[in-house]
Amino acid sequence: MFAYEESLPHVDLAFTDRQGGVSTGPWASLNLAASNGDDEDSVRRNVAAAVQALGGDPAEAWLMRQVHGAEVHVVDGAPDTVPPEADALVTARPGAVLVVRVADCLPIVLADDEARVVGVAHAGRRGVVLDVAAATAEAMRDLGARQISAWIGPRICGRCYEVPEEMRGEVAARLPVAWAETTWGTPALDLAAAAAEQLEKVGVSVHDLASEHAVCTYEDEERYFSYRRQGEKSGRLGGLVRIRP
Ligand SMILES: [Zn+2]
């Protein structure tokens, strides 16, 4: 169910793996999104199971329609029937469970435990270039956050995320730390390194869980979904956070 979980004095956070859900086929088993063709009811049950495992109420689960942008949505009430179009959510509302869904992109969970403000962000290549992570931290500060910590969860690593030479050049021109090479010697990008640097620049302390635990979604088929490995039908992993009510 969870690849990683942590409970702070006021905040619970976790990242899911692909195990412990009800989906089958390419989505087996804990797939958290239906945009890839999976059965909507199975996905609903999977999301509810993950939220409950965190101690949350599925009726308080906030999802996003992610578009690889940098829009941050502020959560201050009960979830809407249609999830907002955004790539980050922030809240000071106790009980609200913020959920970011990914397959290879970076799932980022943020929290100021003492100020009781939390956030999630989805950062793929475009999101990193747009600096969605810093935008999320800024929106949290507008809600009263001061000392923000960020956790970067399971994602494709810089030694697997192959891109065309020209794309590596464009991204590395802005974010030199993103320059990488695959284990097979071709151009690549290390998006987690770039996002970590962006967060540290705005005063956020970063835990890159995937680096610390040598996790790569592309390399570990048993434990993770990977868009690069599975294509359009890839399942989705999640990053979840809530302020305990
Ligand atoms: Zn890798």
Side-chain angles (χ1 to χ4, degrees):
M1 172 70 72
F2 291 146
Y4 179 86
E5 60 180 313
E6 187 164 338
S7 282
L8 306 172
H10 307 295
V11 169
D12 298 314
L13 65 101
F15 294 96
T16 63
D17 58 24
R18 66 182 292 180
Q19 298 161 354
V22 298
S23 294
T24 56
W27 309 293
S29 62
L30 191 68
N31 168 41
L32 300 185
S35 54
N36 47 22
D38 193 5
D39 173 58
E40 288 195 21
D41 188 53
S42 300
V43 169
R44 246 191 307 277
R45 287 164 64 191
N46 290 339
V47 171
V51 167
Q52 283 170 328
L54 192 73
D57 175 357
E60 283 279 345
W62 277 84
L63 306 171
M64 298 178 272
R65 284 177 294 136
Q66 300 167 184
V67 292
H68 293 278
E71 193 72 36
V72 183
H73 181 85
V74 180
V75 166
D76 56 7
D80 303 324
T81 322
V82 179
E85 189 174 289
D87 286 89
L89 298 169
V90 296
T91 196
R93 177 183 158 92
V97 181
L98 310 185
V99 182
V100 54
R101 297 177 287 182
V102 293
D104 292 341
C105 289
L106 313 177
I108 307 177
V109 167
L110 304 97
D112 179 339
D113 184 67
E114 200 178 312
R116 302 184 201 196
V117 180
V118 296
V120 294
H122 159 244
R125 179 177 49 84
R126 275 183 283 170
V128 167
V129 168
L130 294 169
D131 205 351
V132 64
T136 310
E138 194 178 322
M140 288 172 65
R141 292 213 166 96
D142 291 342
L143 294 177
R146 293 175 303 273
Q147 295 285 337
I148 303 173
S149 295
W151 291 258
I152 300 176
R155 41 71 182 158
I156 191 168
C157 83
R159 296 177 67 74
C160 290
Y161 184 44
E162 183 179 53
V163 295
E165 176 88 63
E166 194 184 329
M167 185 182 285
R168 176 174 68 175
E170 281 168 21
V171 176
R174 294 190 202 204
L175 302 159
V177 74
W179 195 99
E181 205 169 74
T182 59
T183 46
W184 54 98
T186 57
L189 287 171
D190 187 341
L191 297 180
E197 187 176 85
Q198 290 172 321
L199 285 162
E200 281 159 4
K201 257 185 198 157
V202 295
V204 175
S205 54
V206 178
H207 312 273
D208 183 357
L209 300 170
S211 284
E212 287 163 22
H213 303 282
V215 165
C216 170
T217 49
Y218 183 79
E219 291 172 60
D220 193 343
E221 183 168 5
E222 199 176 316
R223 192 121 200 242
Y224 302 106
F225 298 115
S226 167
Y227 193 89
R228 276 293 172 100
R229 196 183 59 238
Q230 300 183 276
E232 296 283 334
K233 290 195 167 174
S234 168
R236 295 293 187 277
L237 306 165
L240 299 83
V241 66
R242 69 161 191 156
I243 303 160
R244 269 194 302 282

